[in-house]
Amino acid sequence: MAFRAKYLSKVGEILRLALPVMLAQLGYIAVQVADSAMVGMYGGEDAVPLAAVAFGSTIAWVFTFLCMGLSIGLTPIIGELFVQGHKQKMAHYLETTLLFYPIFGLACMALQIATEPLLYRLGQPIEVVDMALPYYRLMAYCLPFAMFYGSFKQFLEGVGNTKSAMIVAIITNIINIVLNYVFIFGKCGFEPMGVYGAGLATLISRILNPILLGGYFIYAKRYREYLSLFSRKAKHWKNSLHLLKMGLPISGQMVLEALAFIVTGIMMGWFGAEAISANQVGNTYGNCTFMLILSLGSATTICVSHAFGRRDINEICDVVRSSLSMAIVWGICVIATFVSLRHIMPLLFTKNEEVIVLASQMLILYGAFQLSDALQCILVGVLRGLQQVQSIAVISFIAYIVLNIPVGYFVAFQLGMGATGLIVGYIVGLSTAAILYGVQVARYLRYLRKIS
């Protein structure tokens, strides 16, 4: 009975942290769905506009995840310092990120723009690439603002405040959706912009994110205190190196996982615009489920980092058990949803019959890897909270580059399964990642028990 009460208490604590992040992610997901759905409806029977958004956003995710991963590295550092009461060090890390992160975002922006000519060399339909390029460029312009926002957001998550970023995200996502409608279809005196309009709306919302969350830091007394502790004595080079040491492996893990989806998306283009559009339907729903389980992973990182700061091994184990059990329940529910509603879900995005039929077939396989995806996401969250991130990029390389991509290619082209066969690679890659991350977590927890 005591174990059950303790378990429910820990589940409640994780959910209290996860739900605001989840609501913020839901808003972000709503924007993704709105981009795809509105552009798809704008195109009508023409599959090219939806394919252009799919292709442009797919390649852009590499640079987005590179930035996002680096910023996530701040959370476990702040979480450990927070429970130990080191406010001055926390302020110095915040000061460093406000200088360092936007510069990193500018570098990634320049790199993304420099890759534009390569988009024509990936075997995609020319008309799709032509329409995708302006959208792709606008996604690049978002990166410095996303990193500036990440400084505030990940700091707040480190101290256990997940609500403030949620409120900002909901506000800016509503603005994004409204601007989508205005720009894509040409309302309120604007000319119809189609795919470009979706990108412009996203850029405006990304600019507003750091402005609003930075304003909250200045307004709220308890966070303004950290700003007052900024000092010329802050060791920016040392802090930057520590942030890179924490953040780059996380970036590597996220980029390698994204690459599996990106390369698969490119290979989808070899089957034509209809295959790209159908995969975008599955990808959008898959991103929805991933972003939501990512919220649970973020909450797990926060709880683990706080317990790790107190060196409480039993609490760490309680968090791991609770989070994994929730991930299993979530994965099973998503599988059932994807399979049972596979003929209905594509209708939100397109009227093209060929795309609808192909997407309904793909959704079965997208459902098949949801449990593995949920488990690997939680286990990565645990490793981040324990600041054991050095191995996660290596595991990702094995799972996603060595296994995922080749298996997908073999099943699709050598076994003749076609576009749907590419998704089989995800099942193999994500399952491998979940197993290897699990081994790492178990090994490190045994080590902590041994030295405690």
Side-chain angles (χ1 to χ4, degrees):
M1 199 70 174
F3 172 78
R4 182 180 177 183
K6 187 177 181 181
Y7 169 78
L8 292 175
S9 173
K10 190 55 63 179
V11 167
E13 179 185 351
I14 295 168
L15 287 177
R16 279 193 297 274
L17 288 169
L19 283 175
V21 183
M22 199 172 291
L23 289 171
Q25 297 290 10
L26 276 172
Y28 184 73
I29 289 163
V31 171
Q32 285 189 303
V33 173
D35 274 3
S36 298
M38 289 183 185
V39 169
M41 294 306 170
Y42 173 82
E45 293 289 337
D46 184 3
V48 173
L50 180 57
V53 168
F55 179 60
S57 60
T58 296
I59 306 300
W61 272 115
V62 170
F63 304 95
T64 300
F65 280 133
L66 184 61
C67 289
M68 188 185 299
L70 185 70
S71 67
I72 287 173
L74 178 63
T75 299
I77 296 173
I78 295 300
E80 181 181 15
L81 293 174
F82 176 68
V83 297
Q84 294 173 353
H86 297 309
K87 287 188 176 182
Q88 185 71 68
K89 287 185 179 179
M90 293 167 64
H92 287 176
Y93 271 103
L94 177 61
E95 185 179 0
T96 298
T97 59
L98 290 174
L99 296 169
F100 174 51
Y101 281 0
I103 294 172
F104 187 86
L106 284 169
C108 290
M109 180 190 77
L111 185 60
Q112 181 171 334
I113 292 172
T115 62
E116 288 180 6
L118 297 177
L119 270 61
Y120 284 101
R121 300 177 179 272
L122 298 176
Q124 308 302 296
I126 295 297
E127 64 274 17
V128 171
V129 181
D130 286 342
M131 192 176 290
L133 268 178
Y135 179 85
Y136 181 75
R137 190 173 296 120
L138 288 169
M139 294 302 98
Y141 296 155
C142 293
L143 295 178
F145 302 101
M147 289 302 288
F148 194 27
Y149 172 67
S151 296
F152 295 118
K153 177 179 180 291
Q154 300 308 141
F155 183 94
L156 288 171
E157 288 192 5
V159 302
N161 180 349
T162 55
K163 292 181 181 178
S164 300
M166 172 201 73
I167 294 170
V168 168
I170 290 174
I171 292 170
T172 56
N173 287 331
I174 291 172
I175 292 172
N176 194 339
I177 292 172
V178 172
L179 292 178
N180 262 346
Y181 177 72
V182 171
F183 293 154
I184 292 172
F185 296 103
K187 305 297 181 180
C188 302
F190 288 91
E191 291 293 322
M193 301 182 196
V195 173
Y196 182 83
L200 183 59
T202 299
L203 175 59
I204 292 171
S205 70
R206 295 294 183 269
I207 292 172
L208 289 173
N209 275 334
I211 293 173
L212 294 178
L213 200 55
Y216 171 70
F217 256 77
I218 296 171
Y219 171 78
K221 184 178 179 180
R222 56 177 170 163
Y223 298 117
R224 190 165 62 243
E225 177 186 3
Y226 291 105
L227 301 180
S228 69
L229 291 173
F230 283 6
S231 169
R232 292 182 181 180
K233 295 181 180 179
K235 300 175 182 178
H236 293 309
W237 281 111
K238 182 179 178 181
N239 292 344
S240 296
L241 289 174
H242 190 198
L243 289 163
L244 286 170
K245 183 179 178 182
M246 283 294 299
L248 284 181
I250 298 173
S251 291
Q253 176 261 323
M254 296 181 74
V255 168
L256 288 167
E257 185 175 348
L259 275 175
F261 284 83
I262 289 164
V263 173
T264 299
I266 291 169
M267 290 191 287
M268 284 288 177
W270 300 345
F271 291 101
E274 287 74 16
I276 300 176
S277 296
N279 186 54
Q280 177 67 357
V281 174
N283 238 337
T284 301
Y285 284 118
N287 284 338
C288 290
T289 59
F290 175 74
M291 288 296 182
L292 291 175
I293 198 64
L294 187 62
S295 308
L296 195 58
S298 297
T300 301
T301 297
I302 296 167
C303 290
V304 169
S305 69
H306 289 181
F308 182 66
R310 291 188 288 267
R311 300 300 187 261
D312 189 335
I313 310 305
N314 290 329
E315 185 180 351
I316 294 172
C317 292
D318 289 340
V319 172
V320 173
R321 281 192 292 266
S322 302
S323 295
L324 287 176
S325 63
M326 285 187 280
I328 291 170
V329 172
W330 169 258
I332 292 171
C333 290
V334 173
I335 291 170
T337 301
F338 275 33
V339 173
S340 60
L341 299 179
R342 65 187 183 278
H343 297 298
I344 299 172
M345 291 164 71
L347 299 177
L348 178 63
F349 297 91
T350 183
K351 297 177 182 177
N352 186 299
E353 287 296 328
E354 186 177 347
V355 174
I356 291 170
V357 171
L358 187 56
S360 65
Q361 296 169 359
M362 289 182 176
L363 282 168
I364 297 175
L365 293 172
Y366 265 95
F369 65 72
Q370 294 302 312
L371 181 57
S372 296
D373 198 15
L375 291 173
Q376 68 89 21
C377 189
I378 295 301
L379 290 165
V380 167
V382 173
L383 290 169
R384 290 172 185 167
L386 294 171
Q387 301 186 31
Q388 295 298 304
V389 296
Q390 290 74 23
S391 64
I392 62 177
V394 176
I395 291 173
S396 294
F397 181 80
I398 294 169
Y400 304 122
I401 306 302
V402 175
L403 292 175
N404 189 328
I405 295 171
V407 168
Y409 178 88
F410 180 77
V411 174
F413 295 97
Q414 301 301 314
L415 298 184
M417 192 172 171
T420 55
L422 290 169
I423 303 172
V424 174
Y426 296 152
I427 300 172
V428 174
L430 289 164
S431 298
T432 301
I435 292 169
L436 294 179
Y437 290 142
V439 170
Q440 286 296 103
V441 168
R443 182 180 298 168
Y444 193 66
L445 289 179
R446 284 198 299 270
Y447 168 75
L448 289 178
R449 285 199 177 279
K450 185 177 179 180
I451 64 173
S452 62

